[in-house]
Amino acid sequence: MKTGFIGLGAMGAPMAGHLAARGLLAVVDNRTRSKADALAAQLGVQAAASHADFAVCDVVALCVSMDADVLQQVEALAAVLAPGAVVVDHSTVSADTARKAQALLAARGIGFIDAPVSGGVEGARNGKLSVMAGGDAATLEKARPVLEAYAARITHMGGTGAGQATKAVNQVLVAGINEAVCEGLALGEKLGLDPDKLLPTLMAGAAGNWFLDKRGATMLANQFTPGFKCGHLLKDLRIVQGMARDAGIRATVIEQALADYAELVQRGEADADTSALILLKRG
Ligand code: NAP
């Protein structure tokens, strides 16, 4: 099985590394070429000179930034992949983009799975991501050996777009948890509580969670290296806001998080980790 990987950022680079470790990776690409060249040299695979280099691949995985990036890559891959090949998209984008990508590829006999992931850069590095898959069951089976290289769990949620719908729900929880943890720790600072005692005490009780565990100590030390960029969460929240409006739910968590991350991005924190929200919570 030959796999290609496009988008070698905080998530994509370690995911590609797991594929290489299993002997599945043939070719990589990235918008900034130097990243692809460096990772290809490190992993002993090919850096694509053009999309034609992906023609040998049975599966091409994407982990790029935005909806337009996914569609740009899908259009280019539709022109070169063989019928029967599969494109798997791990980026967080709208369910509409997933459906457009699926239709573009289906016209050439190429399969598509929307497969957004959760678990953060730690999950990508450890190969323990939760994959939320949408699409045809037989197409997912073709891609499964690739997903197994970096997933702790692969769930087939339904037809095309169901993976992205699941990720939208995931991002509501992520945004709300971030609001609560950053606000709580900002309060803890003002109350003069010792973080070395506060963090393990909170983790041991009902308030314990992934974000507090992985980002609590670093945010209190004013370290905001991503991780997950504020700009990416803002993108996700805009997608989620549209879905929540259509669904008619009361979306106060989404609205608050949108306002906060828009402010952080305006303050020049787009590439900071989402835990930089504590900067606003300090008042
Ligand atoms: P990132 O560090 O910003 O990496 C994105 C990578 O994709 C960069 O290397 C970028 O190239 C490349 N890229 C963007 N547009 C491209 C295009 N049109 N063609 C080729 N390459 C392109 O982001 P990330 O944190 O890895 O996240 C990637 C996606 O996964 C996003 O949709 C994000 O929302 C989602 N996600 C992130 C996390 C997380 O914890 N970080 C978790 C789950 C899901 P450059 O080098 O030129 O920037």
Side-chain angles (χ1 to χ4, degrees):
M1 186 168 199
K2 285 195 169 137
T3 307
F5 206 105
I6 302 176
L8 305 171
M11 298 295 286
M15 291 163 82
H18 287 292
L19 290 171
R22 293 196 176 200
L24 295 174
L25 191 65
V27 50
V28 293
D29 201 5
N30 189 67
R31 182 173 53 198
T32 303
R33 289 302 310 274
S34 54
K35 264 196 214 172
D37 290 340
L39 191 71
Q42 186 194 321
L43 300 178
V45 300
Q46 187 187 355
S50 76
H51 280 88
D53 288 335
F54 288 95
V56 295
C57 293
D58 306 292
V59 176
V60 178
L62 307 177
C63 194
V64 295
S65 303
M66 324 263 286
D67 295 65
D69 300 312
V70 171
L71 292 174
Q72 177 215 339
Q73 289 299 331
V74 161
E75 276 170 25
L77 290 169
V80 297
L81 293 182
V86 177
V87 175
V88 177
D89 179 29
H90 295 303
S91 325
T92 305
V93 295
S94 70
D96 277 352
T97 292
R99 286 187 279 269
K100 276 185 202 153
Q102 190 274 339
L104 265 164
L105 291 162
R108 308 296 291 257
I110 302 162
F112 177 80
I113 298 291
D114 52 301
V117 295
S118 184
V121 290
E122 288 81 356
R125 286 185 200 128
N126 300 337
K128 299 264 185 255
L129 293 168
S130 178
V131 179
M132 309 154 190
D136 168 71
T139 307
L140 176 58
E141 285 318 302
K142 282 193 201 172
R144 190 174 288 276
V146 170
L147 304 181
E148 281 175 345
Y150 37 72
R153 181 185 172 95
I154 302 163
T155 313
H156 186 202
M157 295 301 300
T160 302
Q164 294 297 352
T166 309
K167 178 73 182 184
V169 174
N170 188 84
Q171 295 311 77
V172 179
L173 274 67
V174 161
I177 291 166
N178 287 14
E179 290 288 329
V181 171
C182 292
E183 199 165 303
L185 294 191
L187 179 62
E189 283 179 331
K190 302 277 182 193
L191 298 178
L193 295 171
D194 176 357
D196 289 340
K197 291 184 183 165
L198 178 64
L199 296 178
T201 303
L202 295 173
M203 276 306 296
N209 65 78
W210 186 98
F211 184 67
L212 178 66
D213 183 35
K214 301 286 191 277
R215 302 286 178 263
T218 47
M219 77 172 83
L220 290 177
N222 280 317
Q223 291 164 12
F224 305 116
T225 308
F228 181 40
K229 295 172 181 168
C230 290
H232 284 331
L233 184 52
L234 182 59
K235 153 188 71 76
D236 297 356
L237 287 165
R238 287 184 175 135
I239 294 168
V240 171
Q241 183 187 43
M243 294 172 88
R245 276 190 187 146
D246 291 347
I249 64 161
R250 182 163 150 173
T252 46
V253 168
I254 298 169
E255 295 302 333
Q256 182 61 53
L258 251 174
D260 286 343
Y261 284 99
E263 187 177 341
L264 281 164
V265 168
Q266 206 172 20
R267 281 171 55 154
E269 304 287 356
D271 287 340
D273 185 73
T274 55
S275 52
L277 176 60
I278 196 170
L279 298 172
L280 300 188
K281 298 290 186 183
R282 283 171 179 155

